Structure formats: C-alpha cells, structure tokens
Amino acid sequence: MLSRSIKFVFSAVILLTAACVKTPEPATNLEATLATFSQAFRSGDSVTVEAHLAEDYVHVNSGAAPYDRAQWLGWYEGYAREIARGDHVFEDYAVQSLQITQHEDAAYVTGVVHATGTRYGEAFVQRIRFTNMWIIEGGRWKRAGFHDASSSEKN
C-alpha cells in the first residue's frame, strides 16, 4: 500500500511540474515581439529595448568591433536622446523580406530594414540587411545577437 501511495505522489509531482514548465512561445508570438522591438527601437523607447535583450547580448555592425550588452545599451541611450530631441527623425522605417527560422527555444531572423528620414537636418536613406538570434530567456523571447551589413538590394 505504501508503494502505491509513493507512486501516486511521485506521478502527481511529475504531472504538476510538467504543467508548470513554460513552453517556448510559438513563432507567431516571436513575430509580435519583433514588431514590439522594432517600434521601441525607432521611437527611442530604451526601457522596452533593454527588456528585450538577452543578458549575454552581442551586437556587431558591419566593419565594427562587437559590442556587449552594456556597450550597446550605452550607444542606444545616446541614440534615444537624439530621437527625443528631434535630431533623428524617421519618415519611414520598414522591415522587409522578414524570414524566421525557429528551433524550439531559439530562432534566427533575417530581413532588410529600409529607413528614411533626417539626422541633424540631413536627409538619409538606409537599407540594412540583418541577422538576429533570438532565444527564450526567462520565459520571453529576447534578442541574443545582431549583425548587419549595408544593402543595395531592392527587397
């Protein structure tokens, strides 16, 4: 009888533990996360941007040395101040050719950002091809890595 009780309790603990384990968010939720991050980035919302970065985040711009999380957030704070002052204004900011490849609790995302606007009164046009690595950290999608290169592609 004791053996049956132990088996029952053991089975109940396993079932309850399995029910409490957070499963990775499906790709549709990653798409929503990408949209949230993109909006936060272009509007200078540093709180939301920081909340979506993995603890070991690495950022690499073409031709530059890698930035760790703290270094990149330091850069972004200055960028966000430019946006807040109106020194950096986006007229258009669109993510095109978005592709998401998900592997359980990780995904890589590729696409092209097309942005136009003014920076310190000078017009700019940018086309940047990017690759991002996203992971589930603390039950949420977070960007773990970024790399970009200038692009002359139409899409």
Side-chain angles (χ1 to χ4, degrees), residues 12-51:
V13 167
I14 297 231
L15 287 172
L16 287 172
T17 301
C20 293
V21 172
K22 185 152 181 98
T23 57
E25 300 172 36
T28 54
N29 286 340
L30 176 54
E31 290 175 17
T33 299
L34 294 171
T36 298
F37 186 89
S38 181
Q39 174 60 34
F41 178 83
R42 70 178 175 250
S43 67
D45 180 353
S46 56
V47 172
T48 300
V49 166
E50 183 174 3

Side-chain angles (χ1 to χ4, degrees), residues 4-16:
R4 265 188 171 169
S5 296
I6 291 172
K7 285 181 184 176
F8 175 76
V9 169
F10 183 70
S11 297
V13 167
I14 297 231
L15 287 172
L16 287 172

Side-chain angles (χ1 to χ4, degrees), residues 18-92:
C20 293
V21 172
K22 185 152 181 98
T23 57
E25 300 172 36
T28 54
N29 286 340
L30 176 54
E31 290 175 17
T33 299
L34 294 171
T36 298
F37 186 89
S38 181
Q39 174 60 34
F41 178 83
R42 70 178 175 250
S43 67
D45 180 353
S46 56
V47 172
T48 300
V49 166
E50 183 174 3
H52 284 85
L53 296 181
E55 289 303 314
D56 59 353
Y57 179 69
V58 176
H59 188 99
V60 183
N61 291 108
S62 182
Y67 279 19
D68 66 19
R69 186 178 196 272
Q71 291 168 318
W72 188 78
L73 283 170
W75 170 85
Y76 185 74
E77 286 297 327
Y79 184 74
R81 284 191 298 275
E82 287 182 6
I83 293 169
R85 288 190 310 258
D87 294 334
H88 193 123
V89 177
F90 288 107
E91 292 170 15
D92 185 40

